[in-house]
Amino acid sequence: MTENQRGNRLDPWLDSYAERAAGLRESEVRSLFSVASRPEVVSLAGGMPNLKDLPMADIAEATKQMLLRDGYKALQYGNGKGLPQLAEQLTEVMAYEGIEADSANILITTGSQQAVDLITEIMINPGDVVVCEAPSYLGSLGIFRAYEAEVVQSPIDADGVIPQALEETFTRLEREGRKVKFFYTIPNYHNPAGVCVSEERRPQIVEICKRHHVLIVEDNPYGLLGFDGRTYTSFKSLAPDHVLYLGSVSKIFAPGYRVGWACAPSAMCEKLKLASESAILCPTSMGQYSISMYLSEFDWRNQISTFRGMYRSRRDAMIQALNDYLPMCQWNVPEGGFYTWVKLPQGLDAKDMLPRAVTNLVAYVSGTAFYANGEGRNHMRLSYCYPNEQDIREGVRRISEVVNRDLELVSLFGTAKRPAPGQH
Ligand code: PMP
């Protein structure tokens, strides 16, 4: 019996799928969702924005007024590129971060996630190389895998991606005759590492990518969430023709509208639009009208400062708890965004440890989710965005119980893996 014939009993369509469907796998975060969302589990796993500070009654009222005014357009198909008035407003959001953009170069997408999908669709033949940071955002790694890209990850440190290592990566790949199509980077308040690319490194990275003719895909959903309001020079500002910039309202307002955008050089913007139209006809009209209403009628800049303060106090709770309960680990102190990237002591394995953590009623994401090749076992991503300060502290305390037990096993047996029954 062949593998497919065996599989047919479970899924009669198994031998009809395209080969690339084999690359579609449940992400490590999604598969955790069902357990992690049980009320007794403290989840430091997901990266869900915390919406508790949104003025919900005001949003409801404004949405009603918007529908009474624009409802026949908001509930209708729109054009493939997106609502022009919203594209204009999104240039103001970019300007708030110091980035100059022309609304003609903006394509509105279904979250920035769809923009990553579109650029991969139009750029990648199976086997082409995408270079990204090590670690990188798991949602984008999933897209690259689905399009059968080969993912090569280049190391980062506390100042973000390391220029010299990036240069070496490109040079090695070129020597091997492998085509690098783009460099995917999250330069600000990185997911999962929490770091920013230093100002000093930014022009160096641009210069390296230009020299090797590699497009920079600058994915920037967290750039306005620096706790001190600090923003960085964007790659796009340094090299407008060499960068595909991705933005999102998910973290600075709300993800439920599913509105993100790509800002691309003109010809590329046209190609992305055609790809988007063939996938979805047009981005969500209701979402776009709602975001447009929010950006014109609400003090969104002030809302962003409220978010910054709320995430800062959660970050503080996380760092305090790490200091108190996990002194045997190492971590960065993020200056913005949602995540801490925690290194476990020698001999501990975040992926192996996860079921024990969940049994102890706490969830995190194993570092392996952020690598294409199974690395990352010595790291875990702890998100502080969603739970409150007490839960963050309790979650870290529960992790520390598991870490301490595993450390004891490592000191006794050289491994934290429990011997199978009957084995000694
Ligand atoms: N890029 C990064 C780095 C992210 O963290 C996320 C969401 N977690 C996205 C893209 C997708 O965001 P959205 O589709 O909601 O805009």
Side-chain angles (χ1 to χ4, degrees):
M1 222 193 241
T2 68
E3 184 71 11
N4 273 0
Q5 281 164 337
R6 268 195 300 278
N8 278 350
R9 279 199 244 125
L10 292 174
D11 180 356
W13 301 107
L14 193 61
D15 54 6
S16 300
Y17 294 132
E19 279 169 24
R20 66 180 171 281
L24 297 172
R25 274 177 246 137
E26 185 152 54
S27 83
E28 295 197 28
V29 172
R30 292 227 155 263
S31 47
L32 258 179
F33 262 9
S34 55
V35 253
S37 56
R38 293 200 324 247
E40 65 276 24
V41 175
V42 173
S43 179
L44 305 176
M48 273 200 305
N50 196 318
L51 306 183
K52 74 175 181 63
D53 291 334
L54 285 178
M56 204 52 83
D58 295 346
I59 293 171
E61 183 52 35
T63 305
K64 180 177 159 196
Q65 295 308 326
M66 180 277 285
L67 277 173
L68 291 172
R69 192 178 58 233
D70 294 322
Y72 286 104
K73 288 180 275 179
L75 300 183
Q76 186 53 277
Y77 289 117
N79 84 66
K81 206 161 167 223
L83 189 61
Q85 77 200 49
L86 177 59
E88 204 59 59
Q89 290 168 300
L90 293 174
T91 64
E92 287 166 35
V93 175
M94 291 173 75
Y96 193 44
E97 210 177 322
I99 310 170
E100 216 179 287
D102 183 339
S103 64
N105 294 343
I106 287 187
L107 172 78
I108 294 167
T109 55
T110 306
S112 55
Q113 188 78 12
Q114 190 211 357
V116 178
D117 187 89
L118 292 174
I119 189 64
T120 312
E121 181 190 352
I122 69 169
M123 287 279 201
I124 296 296
N125 292 314
D128 283 348
V129 178
V130 172
V131 172
C132 56
E133 289 139 345
S136 186
Y137 166 50
L138 81 170
S140 292
L141 292 178
I143 292 172
F144 303 150
R145 192 167 53 234
Y147 284 99
E148 302 174 87
E150 202 186 310
V151 173
V152 174
Q153 293 183 269
S154 203
I156 64 175
D157 61 18
D159 286 329
V161 68
I162 303 167
Q164 187 166 356
L166 189 67
E167 167 73 45
E168 283 163 15
T169 302
F170 288 162
T171 307
R172 173 173 61 79
L173 290 164
E174 272 167 17
R175 224 181 14 245
E176 293 167 3
R178 289 148 84 199
K179 180 71 197 148
V180 181
K181 287 291 181 67
F182 57 81
F183 169 50
Y184 170 80
T185 172
I186 307 145
N188 302 319
Y189 313 114
H190 188 273
N191 179 4
V195 299
C196 293
V197 179
S198 67
E199 284 291 351
E200 196 191 342
R201 285 185 179 177
R202 290 178 187 238
Q204 298 168 12
I205 290 159
V206 165
E207 190 274 318
I208 292 167
C209 290
K210 276 187 161 174
R211 193 155 29 77
H212 290 269
H213 192 61
V214 171
L215 174 77
I216 298 176
V217 177
E218 176 171 32
D219 188 8
N220 188 30
Y222 304 100
L224 283 171
L225 290 183
F227 303 135
D228 291 329
R230 174 161 189 196
T231 56
Y232 288 82
T233 308
S234 69
F235 288 128
K236 177 173 161 39
S237 308
L238 294 172
D241 292 335
H242 217 92
V243 173
L244 172 67
Y245 177 91
L246 309 183
S248 174
V249 300
S250 293
K251 314 298 190 311
I252 55 168
F253 178 27
Y257 295 103
R258 304 308 299 128
V259 169
W261 70 97
C263 186
S266 306
M268 188 183 288
C269 192
E270 186 57 25
K271 274 261 184 267
L272 289 167
K273 184 196 87 166
L274 295 174
S276 183
E277 280 175 344
S278 100
I280 61 163
L281 300 182
C282 66
T284 157
S285 300
M286 181 64 189
Q288 292 183 88
Y289 271 91
S290 305
I291 299 293
S292 180
M293 170 273 292
Y294 176 74
L295 292 174
S296 64
E297 291 173 32
F298 286 74
D299 186 350
W300 55 271
R301 293 176 181 84
N302 188 48
Q303 183 64 50
I304 290 174
S305 340
T306 306
F307 282 146
R308 286 172 179 157
M310 185 261 297
Y311 290 128
R312 174 207 285 276
S313 73
R314 283 164 161 70
R315 185 277 316 260
D316 290 345
M318 172 65 79
I319 300 300
Q320 186 62 51
L322 287 167
N323 277 320
D324 292 347
Y325 294 121
L326 285 173
M328 67 301 262
C329 295
Q330 290 170 331
W331 57 86
N332 60 316
V333 179
E335 295 299 329
F338 289 4
Y339 311 106
T340 19
W341 184 236
V342 177
K343 187 172 180 199
L344 291 168
Q346 182 88 25
L348 262 54
D349 181 322
K351 192 167 183 175
D352 262 15
M353 197 170 82
L354 187 54
R356 297 190 279 287
V358 173
T359 308
N360 208 38
L361 302 182
V362 60
Y364 58 83
V365 185
S366 157
T368 46
F370 307 98
Y371 289 83
N373 64 0
E375 278 175 46
R377 285 180 171 272
N378 59 345
H379 276 90
M380 51 188 175
R381 187 191 75 177
L382 303 186
S383 310
Y384 48 80
C385 44
Y386 198 74
N388 64 30
E389 286 82 351
Q390 292 88 313
D391 285 349
I392 290 170
R393 189 170 177 79
E394 176 58 15
V396 173
R397 192 193 66 74
R398 290 177 192 177
I399 291 177
S400 75
E401 289 180 342
V402 183
V403 166
N404 282 323
R405 256 182 269 151
D406 275 16
L407 275 176
E408 220 173 291
L409 287 174
V410 169
S411 77
L412 287 172
F413 305 113
T415 168
K417 285 204 169 101
R418 268 90 177 140
Q423 267 187 311
H424 297 284

